[in-house]
Amino acid sequence: MAYDVVVIGTGPGGYVCAIRAAQLGLKTAVVEKDKTFGGTCLNVGCIPSKALLHASHLFEEAAEDFDKMGIKLSAPKLDLSQMMKFKQEGVDGNVKGVDFLFKKNKVDAYIGKGKIAAPGKVEVSTGNGKTETIETKAIVIATGSDVARLPGIEIDEKRVVSSTGALELSKVPERLFVVGAGVIGLELGSVWRRLGSKVEVVEFLDRIIPGMDGEIARAFQRILEKQGIKFRLSSKVAAIDAKGKTLKISVEPAAGGKAETLEADVALVAIGRVPYTEGLGLAEAGVKLDNKKRVIVDDRFKTNVQGIYAIGDVIAGPMLAHKAEDEGIAAAEILAGRAGIVNHDAIPNVIYTSPEVASVGKTEEELKSEGVAYRVGKFPFTANGRAKVNRTTEGFVKILADDKTDRVLGVHIIGADAGTLIAEVTLAMEFGASAEDIARTCHAHPTLSEAVKEAALAVDKRAIHM
Ligand code: FAD
Ligand code: NAI
């Protein structure tokens, strides 16, 4: 049977693309090599990590904060296998949801590894050496990404783990060693610290979360250190010896020098992710990759080969589920003859630690290096009424606006619910709003969002509660 579109991969990029294509009347199929739909995000990424972040946060709150509000409990006890069950139920519910949506939208699903046999032909290995060839007008590559590995360090997913193993440890490690102070290291490091691990993070660079606004990153590091996470910056892991009962980790200065040996029970390698195109037949099909092995596409998600498109983690840009989804929608609309676009300048980024960290648009460092004249408005949560009563006063909102036009160029928030607060300013940026527009918008009282309004007022040096 011939399709209009075959999407390879059912992560947030692929499944959303397929559903939108079907909504637009295109005959659509997906190909998925794994047992369940939903890709990295639903199975071993966003969803399970947020389940554990939520549960471990409440565990810590119950132990440390409830009595301050007059809620007396005996010390909470951890039932890790029940917490893992809770996580898995969240995953299963989401994964089943994708299956339901495929059926509802009449998207055909082929289970097996997909390979591009030629433009217009996808070969699916359905097991036991059998293959099935599907014909299609267009192919969308949505094969996502995989864990980046350190040369010479084997990930066994038991003691030396990637994020996947760190989401299903059967016991709280006494000492958790994290390689990489990026999003995964800090989110999953936070989970296990809250559940009782001593956490130490080694980072190659001289700062945490590269790419994030520097002032926010410094504040974030101080908060995490106060929570008990240790950092070794400008350092690298030379080797991990897993022969004995405890791991022996050899750490040396990033610039080279004397190595030190540290001991840990579990090591989490979280040094980034790499595009996944293994066995897809891209070289044979003539699809070009860039120097980071990402599929090269134009602004309409077209590769250099007629009829082959790509979206999500496998192409350039931030490796985020919502970026993949929006690209999936845009690609489907383009295939249906519409004008699908994604504004890559207004993609929010959230780290779901406590407090959360969220940003959209340019950092102060980027504006400086681009020579853009800007003004800064900042407002601390210590001066926000709702944060005061909730005792969530850590952090601040920072708005960067163009010096002449007042247009919002970037917003960076560290504080409770930052991931929700960022939505308002992302919308503002989509509409080309000025800081004055945000400042003149009525914000409900008492809410944390008033800190966003005050930061916008602060751009013009007229915050009220400071
Ligand atoms: P993927 O989700 O990786 O899906 C690709 C799919 O393609 C997979 O199902 C794979 O099996 C399939 N596939 C690959 N090759 C083939 C083939 N040849 N044939 C058939 N099928 C194939 N992002 C956020 O925005 N928010 C978060 O909170 C967040 N948390 C994360 C936490 C962790 C621990 C990790 C690892 C990632 C997290 N991410 C988060 C990133 C997010 O998961 C990815 O950006 C997102 O999943 C990318 O979507 P995708 O559709 O491009 O690819
Ligand atoms: P990352 O790119 O966020 O961070 C990797 C860190 O490791 C960087 O700070 C880097 O400098 C450091 N590093 C690299 N090599 C190193 C080495 N040899 N020794 C020590 N440090 C080293 O990658 P991470 O955390 O693995 O996450 C992968 C992707 O998953 C992210 O890019 C993100 O887009 C996505 N993700 C998103 C989440 C969210 O949106 N909340 C949550 C988790 C993941």
Side-chain angles (χ1 to χ4, degrees):
M1 181 197 300
Y3 288 95
D4 293 314
V5 194
V6 169
V7 183
I8 308 178
T10 64
Y15 87 74
V16 169
C17 180
I19 291 170
R20 185 69 188 122
Q23 280 177 348
L24 291 166
L26 301 179
K27 183 141 190 54
T28 307
V30 291
V31 182
E32 174 55 60
K33 69 174 172 53
D34 284 352
K35 284 200 287 289
T36 50
F37 300 129
T40 305
C41 177
L42 273 60
N43 292 283
V44 291
C46 329
I47 295 299
S49 61
K50 265 75 262 180
L52 290 184
L53 279 156
H54 177 66
S56 62
H57 176 61
L58 291 181
F59 178 69
E60 186 166 66
E61 275 218 305
E64 292 183 3
D65 296 327
F66 278 20
D67 68 331
K68 296 180 192 121
M69 292 181 270
I71 306 168
K72 294 283 178 201
L73 291 176
S74 46
K77 285 203 192 88
L78 177 66
D79 179 347
L80 186 60
S81 67
Q82 177 58 32
M83 196 178 275
M84 290 295 170
K85 212 172 134 216
F86 160 80
K87 175 205 73 175
Q88 197 53 43
E89 281 167 6
V91 169
D92 294 345
N94 276 282
V95 163
K96 279 192 199 123
V98 176
D99 197 11
F100 163 80
L101 291 170
F102 282 160
K103 289 189 178 114
K104 181 183 162 204
N105 288 284
K106 302 194 171 42
V107 172
D108 291 342
Y110 292 81
I111 308 301
K113 188 153 184 167
K115 180 180 171 193
I116 300 175
K121 275 197 177 59
V122 177
E123 198 177 275
V124 186
S125 309
T126 49
N128 303 328
K130 288 190 194 138
T131 59
E132 188 173 350
T133 301
I134 332 173
E135 307 230 332
T136 175
K137 288 185 195 145
I139 297 169
V140 178
I141 302 166
T143 50
S145 62
D146 190 14
V147 171
R149 282 149 214 279
L150 274 170
I153 295 178
E154 195 201 329
I155 294 179
D156 62 14
E157 296 297 11
K158 295 244 162 0
R159 293 202 300 159
V160 182
V161 297
S162 71
S163 50
T164 303
L167 287 166
E168 52 188 31
L169 298 177
S170 55
K171 171 169 149 217
V172 179
E174 209 175 296
R175 292 158 300 179
L176 173 68
F177 184 86
V178 179
V179 192
V183 198
I184 292 181
L186 301 185
E187 284 189 352
L188 295 182
S190 291
V191 165
W192 292 105
R193 181 202 59 74
R194 292 168 189 168
L195 300 181
S197 298
K198 285 196 187 90
V199 178
E200 178 153 7
V201 182
V202 163
E203 165 59 47
F204 188 78
L205 300 175
D206 60 359
R207 53 162 296 169
I208 68 167
I209 310 275
M212 176 196 281
D213 187 89
E215 186 181 14
I216 296 270
R218 284 190 296 278
F220 188 30
Q221 187 181 337
R222 277 196 300 276
I223 291 171
L224 292 172
E225 280 170 341
K226 231 169 66 192
Q227 294 174 356
I229 295 185
K230 278 197 186 155
F231 288 95
R232 272 172 197 259
L233 303 181
S234 307
S235 302
K236 64 180 179 203
V237 171
I240 300 182
D241 176 357
K243 286 197 287 289
K245 238 181 138 202
T246 54
L247 301 173
K248 302 241 177 340
I249 300 157
S250 160
V251 179
E252 56 188 41
K258 204 166 159 272
E260 200 180 326
T261 303
L262 306 175
E263 293 200 351
D265 303 290
V266 173
L268 162 60
V269 179
I271 56 160
R273 294 182 61 86
V274 287
Y276 183 81
T277 55
E278 193 195 292
L280 202 54
L282 294 188
E284 299 86 324
V287 174
K288 281 195 186 141
L289 305 183
D290 69 11
N291 59 354
K292 292 185 173 160
K293 304 247 165 58
R294 300 175 294 200
V295 177
I296 299 174
V297 291
D298 65 12
D299 58 1
R300 293 171 64 78
F301 306 102
K302 263 166 83 172
T303 69
N304 60 308
V305 177
Q306 184 69 22
I308 303 181
Y309 297 72
I311 55 169
D313 277 13
V314 81
I315 67 169
M319 287 180 162
L320 295 172
H322 42 282
K323 176 254 190 194
E325 286 184 35
D326 286 3
E327 289 178 347
I329 290 174
E333 291 176 347
I334 288 165
L335 287 170
R338 299 197 181 193
I341 53 155
V342 177
N343 176 7
H344 285 98
D345 292 332
I347 293 177
N349 211 319
V350 181
I351 307 176
Y352 298 86
T353 43
S354 180
E356 290 183 349
V357 184
S359 63
V360 60
K362 302 278 184 189
T363 63
E364 213 172 330
E365 290 76 15
E366 282 170 334
L367 293 178
K368 275 191 188 129
S369 79
E370 289 167 16
V372 177
Y374 63 92
R375 276 175 292 138
V376 187
K378 272 192 281 187
F379 191 79
F381 283 103
T382 43
N384 172 274
R386 186 67 179 278
K388 268 189 200 158
V389 292
N390 287 358
R391 301 172 82 105
T392 55
T393 50
E394 271 178 328
F396 57 94
V397 179
K398 172 173 176 177
I399 296 184
L400 304 168
D402 188 280
D403 186 43
K404 274 208 194 82
T405 64
D406 195 39
R407 187 180 176 136
V408 177
L409 302 174
V411 181
H412 308 276
I413 307 176
I414 178 164
D417 280 336
T420 306
L421 297 176
I422 206 72
E424 161 189 356
V425 286
T426 306
L427 184 69
M429 285 184 68
E430 272 295 337
F431 278 80
S434 61
E436 186 69 16
D437 290 325
I438 298 175
R440 294 269 170 207
T441 301
C442 190
H443 287 67
H445 176 76
T447 60
L448 298 176
S449 75
E450 287 170 289
V452 175
K453 174 182 174 155
E454 291 270 11
L457 285 165
V459 169
D460 191 36
K461 298 192 172 47
R462 52 180 225 269
I464 300 292
H465 293 89
M466 224 173 25

